[in-house]
Every structure is written in C-alpha cells, then in structure tokens.
Amino acid sequence: MQTRAYTARSNLHASTPRHGQLSDIRSPWRQIQHRKQHSLPSIPAAPKQRCSQQCHATLQLDQQSKPNSSSGQQTAPDNSTSQHSFSWTKQWYPVALDKDLETYRPNAIKLLGKDLVLWKDGDSEWRCFDDVCPHRLVPLSEGRIETDGTLQCAYHGWRFNAEGACTTIPQAESSEAERKSAGHPRACVPKYPVQVQHHLVWVWGDASPNAQLECLSKQPAIIEQLQHEDQVLYLHPWFMREMPYGHDILLENVLDPSHVPFSHHGVIGDRNKVMPSSMQTIDPLQESGFTVGIAVNKNGTNRAQEGSGKMTKLNFTPPTLVKYKFGGPGMQMITYCTPTSPGRSRLFYCFVANKQNAPAAMKRAIGLKPDWLNFLNHFQRNLVLDGDGVFLHGQDRKTHQGPEVPKYYMPTSMDQGVSSLRHWLTNMAGPIPWGVQATPEVWSKDYTRHEMLDRYNQHTKHCKNCSKALQVVSLAQKAAVAVMAVTALLAAAAVGAGNSSLPVWGGLGTGAVLAAVAAWQLGLLRQKFIFVDYVQADH
C-alpha cells in the first residue's frame, strides 16, 4: 500500500502546483467527504497502547463510549494513522509569550481546539494540563496555585502536582480513603510537554503516555539567529494577537506579500507604487516545508533581474513558521501561526537584525527607546492586522462552508507561496484533528466588526505592556475630567460671586478648557487599546 507522503524529488516537481492552475482549497470537512466517496486506502491504525502511568488515564474513557448525538457532524480524524505521514499532534506549538503570562495564577489557552491551562509550579517550571478537573469537569484555569506549588481546583479544592497527579481530595473521609481515591487513574489530569524558547512558551500537541519521550525527538521550529540573544537586535519586539480566522488563512496571508500595498495602503504600503514582481520556488515542496523567493524592487528596478541575485526569501516550516529573510544586515521577519480552534488562530511576530552587521545609527535608535513605549509599536502592528481582518474572516467562512467551495484562480507567479501551501495542506498534512467538532457550521458564524477588530480581547488583555499602558491612560483621562470639572466649577463660582478679576476666572476657564482637551485626546488614545474600526474604502 502506497502512502501519499512525497519524498522523491521527481514526484515533488511533478505534483507541485504551478501558478495559473486552480488550487484545491477544500476544507477539512470536504476532504473527509471526498475520501469517503472515493474509498482512498489508508494505513491501518496501530493498536492503542494502554497507559502504564496512572496520570495519563483520562476522564474521556466514559465519554468515548457514548454515541454522538449530533447528527451529520464530522470530526477530523487523527491523521497520525491516516494516509498522511505528517502528524499535527506530534509537533511543538508556540502558545504564549513568556513575559505576558501570569506566574501567580493559572492561564487559560487553546490549542488544536483543546482547552488547556498553563501554570508555573513550585520549581518555577511551566506546566500544561487539559483545562478540566476530573472531579466535576470545571476549568482548572479558574483555580489557584498553592504555596506548595500545586494547582488547586476552585470548586472543591482538589490539588494536582506538576505531573498531573491528584495530591489532595478534601472531601475524603480518611487519609487512607484520600490516598486510594487520589491514586486512581481517573483522578489525574493529562499533561502536555512544555518548553521555553525565544521568549515563547511552546506546548507539544499531544498528552498521550509516550508524549514525554516523543517530544524529545523533535525540536520547535526555532530560528538559528535567535539562539544567540546577545547578537539579536529587535527592530520590532515580540507581538501577539489572536486572529478571527483560521490557521490556514493566516498562513496564506503571511505567504502573500503582494497584498501589502493594497490591504495596507498608507500604513506599510502604497497601492499607487506597485511594481511588477515575480515569485519562484527556491526549495521544492516537501513535508518539511518549502522556500520561495521574490525579486527585490528598488527605485522601480527589479534588482534580481539585473543579476544581483538579491531576493527576499520566504520559508515555510510546518506547522507554524513563516520566515522572511531580507538582504539587509541579517534582517528577518519571523511569524508563527498557531491553530487555536476552528476559525481562530494566534499570530506571533517579531522583526530582527544581526546586531554585529546593523548600522550604528540603527543600534543607537533602538537602544534609546524604553521598553515601556512598546505599546506604540503594538499600535502599529494592530493597525496592520486590522487592515485585512474583516475580509480574511469572510474568506475563512467561504472556504470552509461545506463541500461546494470554489477553487482559487491564481494566474500569476506571485501566488506560488499560497499554491504551495495549499498543496502541502491537502496532500501532505491533511485535516487538523481538532479537539472539537469541525463542521461547516463552526465556520459559518459571522462576527460583528467589533468582534473581528476587537483589539482588547485579541491583544491588549494578553499583553502586559499594553494592559499597563491602558491603565495609566485611563487614570490620566479620569484625572483630566476631574480637573476640568473642578476648574469649571471654580470659574463659575468666581463669576457668581461677582469676582470680575480677569486673571482669576479667565485662568480657571482656560484650565477647564485645557483639561477638557486633554481628556478628549486621552480618550482617543485609550480607544486604540480597545477597538478601532478599519474601513478599506476610507483608506
């Protein structure tokens, strides 16, 4: 039986779609239906291993025996045993920035459709569990971290150690009964491997009994340049935002530089100065990813066509990394696109240069900027993402609504990155095994503009820098309003008392006006942390 994992170089070239061809953008739901109709062969599933460790016996044992009452719903299968050799669950995923996580309480996160909880134990190590207490299925992320380094459920006080084992059941009638009940496999919480690299917290996508060993055979898709922190110059520091569209749409967007002058006109592009460009394959499509390159245009001249050989290279390393490598002093734009749930994803971004090769003026400028001003950089990143957030959500809904999805028409070479990605997703990776039902109905929800462009819930509340800045701005606005009210009252009182002294009531009146202007400006600044509507027709 032959699988569909491509390894031979000839097969790669023969099967890689070229620009001008129609690209199959079938959703995972449609791919499943297609396989059923055509009876494609699949690799027989290996027998499930019985967990030898009590902590890995999950509370899903009873749930799996219950029939699914939802008719017509399909959940994407775990393709680790399908015709695709790529396994979505046997990968490392960035889920949060280390500096933005709370260390004194649990943090709720989502990954591959699963609700997880991140918390720091008594040894200051990050731990990740399923976000559910085995007792009554309430979220552990609503609990607390005890002084002994255990995670306590807020409902009945059950505690769990760093390995997911239950250590305390306050309702037990005796210490012996507590020991016996806590030692039962169903009293434990599944544990996911965790590590920290490049200021990012990475979580392994699997919590099976072998996960702790399997994760050692693979490292996160890290950037070699970032391994030497003292040599890195962060032109744009790490930034995170949750996106109202899926992982595949986010990857497409990042691999498509030709949209920038149109979607982000006046922000980081100019639609009136677009030059013809070309994209070509540099590293052919494989299961491990691909690399494409685009010519660098400068002053209306295509430098690559002149034979300089300077190109901007875009590399995709599955399942999350897209890296832009520019021709400057080791400059790279690094993005990670994490699949959180159907129709939702999380973007991590930074822009770096090699400190040794960077111009002295660039290093001085970066060095003079204090970290607390990073929220201004985040304003710019949010403005960029707002530019295409609304219509990318619409694209996501369209590409996942049932089997009758039209194909992309991509006649130019600049679509090569998107075409290669779609080929990788369809023929090498297969559908994501979501931890929830992934049907057309899930993607059909139409968010309001406020939900699609919700800066507060998508970024600000997760970013400590922006959260603190928002608190300061809000307090300053309240203070300005108070000053305005007091000075206005004093000015009115002075006039009412017959005090005709111009310096007195004039000064108070001027103070009230200045305070009102300050409150208005601070209100506009505050709104940038929360919601700013972006209408393309107005740009």
Side-chain angles (χ1 to χ4, degrees):
M1 178 176 61
Q2 186 177 6
T3 67
R4 298 178 69 181
Y6 294 86
T7 55
R9 189 176 181 86
S10 60
N11 285 343
L12 285 170
H13 287 289
S15 57
T16 302
R18 299 177 180 177
H19 64 272
Q21 295 180 340
L22 297 177
S23 178
D24 189 351
I25 56 169
R26 288 186 303 229
S27 66
W29 183 89
R30 187 183 178 198
Q31 293 175 27
I32 297 167
Q33 301 301 318
H34 179 78
R35 294 192 192 103
K36 287 184 177 181
Q37 294 170 6
H38 293 79
S39 301
L40 293 176
S42 60
I43 300 174
K48 293 184 178 179
Q49 297 180 350
R50 180 178 294 273
C51 179
S52 59
Q53 301 177 9
Q54 291 181 341
C55 291
H56 292 288
T58 71
L59 52 98
Q60 295 178 350
L61 292 175
D62 288 343
Q63 297 174 349
Q64 290 175 352
S65 63
K66 299 178 181 179
N68 187 350
S69 59
S70 301
S71 60
Q73 291 189 337
Q74 296 287 342
T75 301
D78 187 343
N79 47 43
S80 59
T81 58
S82 73
Q83 68 269 29
H84 302 93
S85 58
F86 182 85
S87 173
W88 288 97
T89 58
K90 312 296 183 183
Q91 309 291 333
W92 287 101
Y93 294 90
V95 296
L97 290 170
D98 185 25
K99 65 181 180 64
D100 288 334
L101 290 172
E102 300 292 356
T103 59
Y104 65 92
R105 63 176 177 83
N107 302 266
I109 62 169
K110 283 184 177 292
L111 177 63
L112 300 176
K114 295 178 285 190
D115 293 317
L116 306 178
V117 56
L118 270 174
W119 61 287
K120 260 191 177 180
D121 65 10
D123 296 325
S124 294
E125 296 289 338
W126 286 112
R127 304 294 178 178
C128 184
F129 296 165
D130 276 335
D131 191 14
V132 58
C133 178
H135 178 213
R136 298 276 286 278
L137 311 186
V138 302
L140 290 172
S141 57
E142 292 297 323
R144 51 182 286 120
I145 300 174
E146 290 295 319
T147 55
D148 62 354
T150 58
L151 178 61
Q152 183 186 72
C153 176
Y155 199 12
H156 294 93
W158 288 32
R159 294 190 191 181
F160 305 90
N161 65 17
E163 301 303 317
C166 182
T167 62
T168 303
I169 300 179
Q171 294 76 27
E173 297 177 354
S174 66
S175 58
E176 177 61 24
E178 182 181 43
R179 184 191 63 79
K180 184 177 180 180
S181 298
H184 193 280
R186 293 187 60 193
C188 302
V189 185
K191 171 190 172 185
Y192 295 78
V194 183
Q195 63 171 295
V196 179
Q197 294 273 7
H198 301 342
H199 310 290
L200 297 170
V201 178
W202 299 75
V203 172
W204 186 251
D206 177 46
S208 65
N210 296 325
Q212 299 297 327
L213 292 176
E214 290 175 337
C215 72
L216 299 177
S217 64
K218 181 175 293 187
Q219 286 298 312
I222 55 179
I223 309 300
E224 179 62 30
Q225 182 175 337
L226 298 187
Q227 291 292 80
H228 309 285
E229 189 72 19
D230 59 333
Q231 300 177 15
V232 178
L233 186 66
Y234 283 92
L235 306 180
H236 295 163
W238 278 111
F239 169 87
M240 185 283 298
R241 181 164 173 175
E242 295 179 349
M243 309 310 299
Y245 43 85
H247 161 262
D248 56 337
I249 301 299
L250 178 56
L251 283 173
E252 275 189 17
N253 181 253
V254 178
L255 284 164
D256 174 24
S258 65
H259 81 280
V260 172
F262 299 96
S263 300
H264 310 298
H265 173 74
V267 181
I268 56 172
D270 188 339
R271 58 174 172 259
N272 299 314
K273 296 181 180 180
V274 177
M275 294 295 298
S277 303
S278 61
M279 180 179 287
Q280 64 188 61
T281 299
I282 297 177
D283 295 326
L285 176 66
Q286 303 180 57
E287 186 181 292
S288 58
F290 58 85
T291 303
V292 293
I294 57 174
V296 178
N297 291 314
K298 186 174 182 180
N299 297 327
T301 302
N302 190 315
R303 299 172 67 188
Q305 290 180 356
E306 289 184 341
S308 66
K310 291 185 177 181
M311 302 186 74
T312 297
K313 297 180 180 179
L314 290 71
N315 170 260
F316 168 60
T317 302
T320 61
L321 172 64
V322 176
K323 176 180 63 177
Y324 278 60
K325 190 172 183 179
F326 302 95
M331 292 194 298
Q332 296 187 69
M333 187 183 83
I334 301 165
T335 59
Y336 291 101
C337 309
T338 299
T340 54
S341 58
R344 306 287 291 192
S345 55
R346 181 171 276 202
L347 171 70
F348 298 91
Y349 161 90
C350 73
F351 200 109
V352 299
N354 188 301
K355 186 178 293 185
Q356 294 180 342
N357 300 331
M362 179 186 292
K363 289 188 283 189
R364 284 197 299 269
I366 298 298
L368 290 174
K369 179 182 168 184
D371 290 341
W372 64 269
L373 279 178
N374 281 342
F375 72 89
L376 296 176
N377 181 276
H378 292 186
F379 282 170
Q380 180 72 5
R381 302 281 72 75
N382 277 319
L383 183 60
V384 171
L385 294 173
D386 287 344
D388 44 25
V390 173
F391 59 75
L392 287 181
H393 170 68
Q395 179 193 9
D396 192 38
R397 294 179 64 224
K398 185 67 175 178
T399 57
H400 292 92
Q401 287 186 11
E404 301 302 324
V405 177
K407 295 181 179 181
Y408 292 165
Y409 174 60
M410 300 185 289
T412 73
S413 68
M414 287 301 292
D415 290 315
Q416 183 60 43
V418 174
S419 181
S420 297
L421 173 69
R422 279 296 167 186
H423 185 75
W424 182 87
L425 288 168
T426 301
N427 298 295
M428 297 185 179
I432 295 177
W434 296 109
V436 294
Q437 296 289 340
T439 65
E441 290 74 21
V442 173
W443 272 279
S444 65
K445 181 180 179 181
D446 188 12
Y447 297 114
T448 65
R449 295 187 71 86
H450 196 285
E451 289 174 318
M452 288 184 280
L453 303 176
D454 185 356
R455 291 185 179 185
Y456 180 78
N457 285 299
Q458 295 173 5
H459 170 73
T460 301
K461 76 176 186 179
H462 303 291
C463 173
K464 287 186 177 180
N465 181 277
C466 289
S467 295
K468 291 179 181 178
L470 175 59
Q471 291 176 358
V472 171
V473 170
S474 298
L475 289 174
Q477 184 187 23
K478 292 178 181 178
V481 170
V483 170
M484 176 191 69
V486 170
T487 52
L489 288 173
L490 290 176
V495 173
N499 189 339
S500 59
S501 174
L502 180 63
V504 174
W505 63 263
L508 291 172
T510 301
V513 171
L514 292 176
V517 172
W520 172 59
Q521 289 293 326
L522 287 167
L524 295 178
L525 182 62
R526 181 177 181 274
Q527 192 62 29
K528 291 185 178 182
F529 293 98
I530 301 170
F531 168 79
V532 177
D533 196 7
Y534 195 106
V535 180
Q536 280 287 345
D538 297 336
H539 289 76

